[in-house]
Amino acid sequence: MTAIFSCSSLYTTSKSPIFNNPNQSINYIRLSHSHNTTTSIRRFRPISSSLNPNRLQFSHKQKDGFSGIKECVLSVALAIGLITGVPSLGFPSNANAITPALPDLAVLISGPPIKDPGALLRYALPIDNKAIREVQKPLEDITDSLKVAGVKAIDSTERNLKQASRALKQGKSMIIAGLAESKKDHAIELLGKLEVGMEELQKITEDRKREAIAPKQKELLQYVGGVEEDMVDGFPYDVPEEYQNMPLLKGRATVDMKVKVKDNPNLEECIFRIVLDGYNAPVTAGNFVDLVERHFYDGMEIQRADGFVVQTGDPEGPAEGFIDPSTEKTRTIPLEIMVEGEKAPVYGVTLEDIGLYKAQTKLPFNAFGTMAMAREEFENNSASSQVFWLLKESELTPSNANILDGRYAVFGYVTQNEDFLADLKVGDVIESIQVVAGLDNLVNPSYKIAG
C-alpha cells in the first residue's frame, strides 16, 4: 500500500535561471521607476565575456538551455563589481531617494542568518515594539541551543527561557500598550497562554526532557507571533496609484497546495501550506491569491524541479502568463521589493539598479521554500503567473548575502512540510490550491468579475 503524507506548508514554484547570448560582451540593463517615466540605460561590462548576468526568466517554452545557478550568480556578482566598490550609477534623484535606516530592532536579530520561515514572517511584520521582540528573540534562540550536544543544550535552553520570561515580565505593559484596540482582548488571551507555556517549558527543562523542548518552543512562538499580528492596526501604507486597482493583499493569507506525486512509492500526495505576506508584497501576493481563486493553478504540472528550485505557473499554449479575459492580454505586475527599515516597497527596479547593494530585504531568500515570482530577462515588470520555490542555497547564494535578494519579488514562505518540496518532480500535478485563511484581506479581486 502506498503511504500518503499530508503536508501543511506551501512553497511556490520558480522559473528557471536561463542564460541567453553567452558571448555578449556588453549588457544593457533597463531601469524604470514606478514614480518616474524616465528610462535609464546602464552598461555593465562583464569581467569575462563568457559570463553574462542574465535574469531568472520564463520557463520551458524557451529553447535556450540552462547554465547552472552557480554560473548565474557568479556572473551577476562579477557584473556588479562583486557588490562592493561600485560607482554611482547616476539614476534620477527620486529613484535614488531610498536610504534605508537601520531599525532599532536590528540588534535583536543580528547574528547568523534567520532561516526558519516562521521566524522570518514574525520579524517581517510591520510593528515597532521592542518589548515583544525581546521576548521573541531568546525563544527563537532555543533552536540554536538545541544544536549543542548533550545536556549543555538543556542548560542553554534554560538560559534562553529565563531571558524570555524576564523580558515578558518587565515589558508586559509596553506590549499591551502596543496592541491594536480591536485585537487587544485576543492578544491578552495569547499572553496568558504564553506565560503558562513558559512555565511548562521550565518544567520540561528541569525534568531534562530534551525531546519535548522543540514542540513546546514552537507553541510559544506561535503565541508570540499571534500577539505581534495583533499589534498591526490596518494596512500600514498606500500602494502607488498606478497599482491601486490591481488585486492587492492587504495583510496575510494562508493557502494549502495539494500535489499529486507520481512515480514515488513513498509519497503519493502532499499538502503544502504557504503563508503569503501582503504587508511586504501586496501587489505580488494579491496577484497570486486572485489567480488561486480563479483556479488557475489547479491541474497544472510542476514544470521544473532540479534540486535548486521547483517551478510552475506557465499555462498551456503560447502565452507565458495569465491572460486576463477582460483585456485578452497578459496581466503583468511590477517588481516589488520591501527594504528593511523602509515603510513601503520599491517598485519597478532592482535594488542594485538604485544603488542599494548592501540593503537587506524584508522577505529574504533565506528559508527552504522561499516563494517568489519569475520574470523576463530584461523586464523588471514582466512577472505574471510563474512562481518558484527556492530549495537550497549554494556557496554563491548564502542566506543573508543572497544575490537573488532585491532582484526577485519574494511574497511568501512554505511553513509546514517544506522538506517534501525536494521530492517533487517535473510532471507531478497540482491538484488544487485553496485559500484557507485571509481571503478577506484581498481587495479588488478580479476573479469575481464575470469572464
Side-chain angles (χ1 to χ4, degrees):
M1 180 180 294
T2 303
I4 298 178
F5 293 88
S6 176
C7 319
S8 309
S9 28
L10 288 174
Y11 277 123
T12 21
T13 44
S14 111
K15 301 195 176 188
S16 318
I18 296 181
F19 302 84
N20 299 323
N21 306 321
N23 296 319
Q24 179 179 339
S25 61
I26 300 290
N27 284 302
Y28 296 86
I29 299 181
R30 183 175 299 276
L31 315 178
S32 59
H33 194 275
S34 62
H35 299 299
N36 190 336
T37 56
T38 303
T39 300
S40 175
I41 304 293
R42 174 66 181 175
R43 294 190 181 193
F44 289 96
R45 185 177 298 276
I47 293 175
S48 168
S49 62
S50 64
L51 296 177
N52 190 13
N54 291 311
R55 305 292 202 268
L56 219 96
Q57 217 181 317
F58 287 140
S59 65
H60 58 290
K61 292 181 182 173
Q62 295 186 267
K63 296 180 180 179
D64 299 271
F66 301 110
S67 290
I69 190 65
K70 294 181 182 179
E71 183 177 351
C72 172
V73 294
L74 178 59
S75 61
V76 172
L78 292 173
I80 62 174
L82 296 176
I83 314 299
T84 62
V86 182
S88 171
L89 300 184
F91 295 106
S93 57
N94 64 336
N96 208 12
I98 295 181
T99 346
L102 292 175
D104 293 337
L105 298 175
V107 65
L108 296 177
I109 57 175
S110 60
I114 299 169
K115 298 183 180 182
D116 177 71
L120 289 168
L121 287 163
R122 285 186 285 271
Y123 281 122
L125 284 166
I127 63 172
D128 185 17
N129 189 291
K130 187 176 180 181
I132 190 64
R133 296 300 197 195
E134 287 179 338
V135 176
Q136 177 188 345
K137 177 62 166 58
L139 292 178
E140 303 277 11
D141 288 345
I142 290 175
T143 300
D144 290 330
S145 294
L146 291 177
K147 295 177 182 178
V148 179
V151 295
K152 290 183 178 179
I154 299 177
D155 295 337
S156 182
T157 296
E158 280 190 299
R159 290 192 292 272
N160 297 141
L161 180 59
K162 288 179 180 178
Q163 184 180 351
S165 299
R166 182 168 60 250
L168 179 57
K169 183 177 181 180
Q170 295 175 348
K172 188 173 182 178
S173 59
M174 186 182 298
I175 292 171
I176 292 174
L179 298 171
E181 194 61 38
S182 61
K183 305 175 183 178
K184 184 172 288 187
D185 290 344
H186 177 255
I188 290 175
E189 180 183 349
L190 290 179
L191 286 172
K193 292 180 178 179
L194 177 61
E195 290 173 324
V196 172
M198 284 183 171
E199 293 173 359
E200 292 171 347
L201 181 55
Q202 178 62 40
K203 183 66 165 57
I204 288 171
T205 58
E206 290 172 356
D207 293 343
R208 319 305 275 178
K209 295 180 179 179
R210 177 172 176 153
E211 71 284 353
I213 292 175
K216 180 58 68 173
Q217 175 210 20
K218 182 176 181 180
E219 176 189 328
L220 298 182
L221 284 170
Q222 287 174 340
Y223 295 146
V224 170
V227 172
E228 291 172 344
E229 290 195 40
D230 287 343
M231 290 179 169
V232 183
D233 190 7
F235 195 70
Y237 56 88
D238 292 328
V239 173
E241 185 177 356
E242 57 263 49
Y243 311 129
Q244 285 182 0
N245 293 326
M246 302 181 76
L248 304 174
L249 186 65
K250 292 193 169 183
R252 286 183 173 170
T254 303
V255 299
D256 281 350
M257 181 172 72
K258 184 178 181 180
V259 180
K260 179 74 172 178
V261 180
K262 299 179 180 179
D263 303 324
N264 188 332
N266 299 315
L267 185 67
E268 179 180 312
E269 187 176 88
C270 191
I271 299 175
F272 300 93
R273 175 153 290 181
I274 308 169
V275 175
L276 309 172
D277 190 349
Y279 289 124
N280 294 292
V283 177
T284 311
N287 174 72
F288 182 78
V289 173
D290 188 70
L291 292 176
V292 166
E293 288 301 295
R294 285 177 173 271
H295 304 285
F296 176 83
Y297 298 98
D298 295 1
M300 188 173 287
E301 292 185 350
I302 298 299
Q303 295 155 355
R304 180 188 176 196
D306 59 6
F308 184 75
V309 297
V310 169
Q311 166 194 335
T312 195
D314 188 356
E316 293 183 1
E320 292 179 330
F322 167 64
I323 303 298
D324 189 336
S326 66
T327 64
E328 298 183 349
K329 296 179 180 179
T330 302
R331 184 174 80 188
T332 59
I333 58 174
L335 179 63
E336 183 177 45
I337 308 290
M338 179 69 88
V339 177
E340 186 70 56
E342 291 298 320
K343 294 183 178 180
V346 178
Y347 288 92
V349 289
T350 68
L351 297 190
E352 70 182 86
D353 288 344
I354 53 177
L356 300 182
Y357 304 107
K358 296 183 180 180
Q360 296 294 311
T361 57
K362 200 77 170 177
L363 299 176
F365 280 92
N366 282 14
F368 188 101
T370 299
M371 181 178 187
M373 296 297 298
R375 59 180 174 84
E376 289 183 3
E377 181 179 351
F378 294 113
E379 295 294 336
N380 291 341
N381 298 338
S382 60
S384 178
S385 60
Q386 296 193 40
V387 295
F388 67 94
W389 294 271
L390 185 71
L391 297 186
K392 64 180 180 181
E393 56 190 319
S394 76
E395 60 268 34
L396 292 174
T397 57
S399 299
N400 243 28
N402 199 314
I403 291 177
L404 298 178
D405 288 335
R407 297 170 60 83
Y408 300 96
V410 174
F411 63 103
Y413 296 99
V414 180
T415 58
Q416 297 173 18
N417 300 315
E418 57 268 33
D419 290 345
F420 287 101
L421 283 170
D423 293 318
L424 299 185
K425 301 289 188 293
V426 172
D428 291 344
V429 178
I430 298 172
E431 293 187 338
S432 66
I433 303 181
Q434 295 182 326
V435 180
V436 296
L439 185 58
D440 54 337
N441 292 325
L442 181 67
V443 300
N444 307 325
S446 74
Y447 72 90
K448 290 186 177 181
I449 301 173

